[in-house]
Amino acid sequence: MSVAKEFELANDKYSAGFTKGDLPLPPGRKVAVVVCMDARIDPARALGLEEGDAHVIRNAGGRAADALRSVIISQQLLGTRELVVIHHTDCGMLTFRDEDLRKKLQETTHVTADHFAFLPFADIEQSVREDVAFFKHSPYVLDVPTTGYVYDVKTGAIRKVEDN
Amino acid sequence: MSVAKEFELANDKYSAGFTKGDLPLPPGRKVAVVVCMDARIDPARALGLEEGDAHVIRNAGGRAADALRSVIISQQLLGTRELVVIHHTDCGMLTFRDEDLRKKLQETTHVTADHFAFLPFADIEQSVREDVAFFKHSPYVLDVPTTGYVYDVKTGAIRKVEDN
């Protein structure tokens, strides 16, 4: 069975007990969270989010540059006024450099991959600080409270590393 | 109190009961899910995901083009071999055109925003089909089972619109 089919079966149960059909489009807690796509992180459970609370933007590494389009839409059209950035221990982005993945991708797909920026990093606290700074300094992002955390995949705990 | 501080308090409870500190880095169910950042959607609850199961990539609209970097990393470095795309009813991406948001952004920030592509859409089923096709036709994405759904924010149910 495909995972998609498994999702359909799980969703049958979820929708059968669904009671949140009247939530408004703008996030109730006026916050956008940028967090890594890592399978071990469940932002809703880890941060106490209920349906309707927050925009959750996820990508490889939880990188700010790759979240810019979404953050602009979140702030300009849907009224969020706080940002949270969460990277995590044991992240896949710590394991490679752009040139490694470009080479692997070119070998796999037989097309040139030299133009890709995969946004890896070498230090997890530094990457959080850089991404908080990216938002604070972007002319397209509103000047809102922006907090950066490292999530520990061994303990489930977040630790603040930047508050701006 | 900032929402970030509320997250810290909620996370204290989550980490106090955390029992999943030994999960491997690669997603256990070998799937990457691309879904909108919308606050009303909780992909884990709606699809039956546990910590460790799946890469969850989220952006405004759940657009494939904006998820490409993450999908490449997911497949090439972390072994996922299935893709699921989920857009949803009442999406903010149905409410504007690029030129509207560029104008609003320029008025708000006083910098030129003409170069931004915000990737809005006018038809939710069509956008799912286009994004499934984007992955199926990208030379950088492996040829894996790719399924597209519309999530109904009124009922919590997903409905399949593309299977490729």
Side-chain angles (χ1 to χ4, degrees):
Chain A
M1 182 157 63
S2 68
V3 181
K5 186 65 188 168
E6 295 171 356
F7 286 171
E8 291 173 24
L9 297 175
N11 180 254
D12 283 344
K13 290 186 190 170
Y14 177 76
S15 59
F18 192 72
T19 58
K20 299 179 176 178
D22 291 322
L23 294 169
L25 174 52
R29 294 169 75 180
K30 296 184 183 300
V31 63
V33 187
V34 178
V35 56
C36 184
M37 69 179 179
D38 191 280
R40 296 165 292 182
I41 306 173
D42 183 332
R45 290 181 190 135
L47 304 176
L49 292 174
E50 294 297 324
E51 289 93 333
D53 277 351
H55 281 147
V56 180
I57 301 160
R58 302 187 67 176
N59 63 48
R63 298 314 312 258
D66 206 24
L68 182 59
R69 178 187 69 91
S70 298
V71 167
I72 291 171
I73 290 168
S74 178
Q75 295 185 335
Q76 296 288 331
L77 298 179
L78 294 161
T80 64
R81 291 295 181 268
E82 185 170 343
L83 276 166
V84 170
V85 174
I86 305 179
H87 297 177
H88 65 94
T89 59
D90 194 37
C91 186
M93 305 301 284
L94 293 160
T95 66
F96 72 95
R97 296 170 307 166
D98 260 348
E99 50 268 43
D100 305 326
L101 184 48
R102 285 179 188 143
K103 183 156 179 276
K104 184 175 171 62
L105 186 59
Q106 186 151 346
E107 287 169 359
T108 309
T109 64
H110 311 294
V111 280
T112 304
D114 288 347
H115 57 297
F116 274 106
F118 291 106
L119 312 179
F121 41 73
D123 181 299
I124 195 71
E125 288 196 17
Q126 182 62 23
S127 69
V128 171
R129 289 195 192 95
E130 284 174 5
D131 280 8
V132 168
F134 178 95
F135 286 134
K136 294 305 286 189
H137 296 141
S138 170
Y140 300 107
V141 176
L142 301 179
D143 183 18
V144 300
T146 304
T147 311
Y149 296 92
V150 170
Y151 175 90
D152 187 327
V153 296
K154 293 286 184 204
T155 66
I158 56 171
R159 180 171 54 84
K160 185 161 68 179
V161 296
E162 188 75 23
D163 192 344
N164 202 318
Chain B
M1 182 157 64
S2 67
V3 181
K5 185 65 188 168
E6 295 170 357
F7 286 171
E8 291 172 25
L9 297 175
N11 180 254
D12 283 344
K13 290 186 189 168
Y14 177 76
S15 59
F18 191 72
T19 58
K20 299 179 176 177
D22 291 322
L23 294 168
L25 174 51
R29 294 169 75 180
K30 295 185 185 300
V31 64
V33 187
V34 179
V35 55
C36 184
M37 69 178 179
D38 191 279
R40 295 165 293 182
I41 306 173
D42 183 332
R45 290 180 190 136
L47 304 175
L49 292 173
E50 294 297 325
E51 289 92 333
D53 278 351
H55 281 147
V56 180
I57 301 160
R58 302 187 68 176
N59 63 48
R63 298 315 311 258
D66 207 23
L68 181 59
R69 179 186 69 89
S70 298
V71 166
I72 291 170
I73 290 168
S74 177
Q75 295 185 335
Q76 296 287 331
L77 298 180
L78 294 162
T80 63
R81 291 295 180 268
E82 183 169 344
L83 277 166
V84 170
V85 175
I86 305 179
H87 298 177
H88 65 95
T89 60
D90 194 37
C91 186
M93 305 302 285
L94 293 159
T95 66
F96 71 96
R97 296 171 305 165
D98 260 347
E99 50 267 42
D100 304 326
L101 184 48
R102 285 179 189 144
K103 183 157 178 275
K104 184 174 171 61
L105 187 59
Q106 186 152 345
E107 287 169 358
T108 308
T109 64
H110 311 294
V111 280
T112 305
D114 289 348
H115 57 298
F116 274 106
F118 292 107
L119 313 178
F121 41 72
D123 181 299
I124 195 71
E125 288 195 16
Q126 181 62 23
S127 69
V128 171
R129 289 195 193 96
E130 284 174 5
D131 280 7
V132 169
F134 178 95
F135 286 136
K136 294 305 286 189
H137 297 141
S138 170
Y140 300 106
V141 176
L142 301 179
D143 184 18
V144 300
T146 304
T147 311
Y149 296 92
V150 170
Y151 174 90
D152 188 327
V153 296
K154 294 285 185 204
T155 66
I158 56 172
R159 179 171 54 84
K160 185 161 69 179
V161 296
E162 189 74 21
D163 192 344
N164 203 319

